[in-house]
Amino acid sequence: MSPVLLDLTLTPNRSLSRDHARLLVLAVGGLFLVGSIRFLLLGMWPVIPFLVLDVALLAWALRANYRSGGRHERLVLAGDALTLTRVSPWGEAEVEVLEPFFTRVQIEETPLGDALLYLTARGRRLLVGSFLSAPERREVGAVIREALARYRNQMPSTSAMA
């Protein structure tokens, strides 16, 4: 059994935990409740449904954000295969297998300062870590490049064969 040279799981960044998101919705809802009482006393009751709609849309947006956070990618370099497994937010997995000896890491810099990370091998080009920031993609690219170099250094030399 050959050793695992790379086992990397990439997940989207989330700046707010689920508990803090709930607290945010409750705080905004509480603030809007106080405001709606004021609007009601001033006779501006038609504003209240819009405040309720705002809180509902905020809750929906945060929930959709966390659902998309279930998306992740896993890269495993073991044996003679570099396996990229993409898992959607709904748990559906898509597996791509590349030959590590022929796989190259490409970081494509865009004019706006973004960096796109690709794995290329034998005419195939796979985008990796599209949900990561540009510095994170550059860092992940360096880690993958290093693991592929270690893999190639382990390969027996063919120059001694006759």
Side-chain angles (χ1 to χ4, degrees):
M1 184 168 138
S2 59
V4 175
L5 296 175
L6 177 70
D7 189 352
L8 191 61
T9 301
L10 308 174
T11 57
N13 297 317
R14 294 293 174 253
S15 58
L16 203 59
S17 70
R18 285 186 187 269
D19 291 338
H20 289 125
R22 284 187 192 109
L23 287 175
L24 176 66
V25 171
L26 288 174
V28 169
L31 184 65
F32 282 10
L33 176 65
V34 170
S36 65
I37 292 170
R38 173 102 170 128
F39 286 129
L40 188 62
L41 293 175
L42 292 173
M44 294 188 277
W45 61 267
V47 174
I48 296 172
F50 293 102
L51 295 175
V52 172
L53 182 63
D54 280 348
V55 173
L57 285 174
L58 176 64
W60 174 81
L62 288 171
R63 183 174 179 180
N65 180 36
Y66 280 101
R67 181 174 293 129
S68 72
R71 171 183 179 193
H72 65 275
E73 295 177 356
R74 184 171 182 212
L75 280 158
V76 177
L77 175 56
D80 289 333
L82 174 60
T83 307
L84 171 63
T85 306
R86 291 187 176 117
V87 180
S88 74
W90 300 275
E92 299 163 350
E94 176 188 332
V95 179
E96 301 278 353
V97 180
L98 300 169
E99 297 175 62
F101 190 77
F102 298 104
T103 302
R104 300 291 179 254
V105 176
Q106 290 180 343
I107 297 179
E108 189 175 291
E109 299 288 339
T110 66
L112 298 176
D114 198 9
L116 302 175
L117 173 61
Y118 292 98
L119 294 178
T120 60
R122 297 190 181 227
R124 293 172 64 196
R125 190 172 190 209
L126 304 175
L127 180 64
V128 177
S130 60
F131 45 78
L132 299 176
S133 66
E136 290 171 325
R137 282 187 223 129
R138 289 182 190 103
E139 185 179 333
V140 167
V143 169
I144 297 169
R145 195 175 280 129
E146 179 185 323
L148 289 171
R150 280 196 318 262
Y151 172 82
R152 290 183 193 108
N153 289 337
Q154 286 181 356
M155 298 294 293
S157 174
T158 56
S159 61
M161 295 182 178

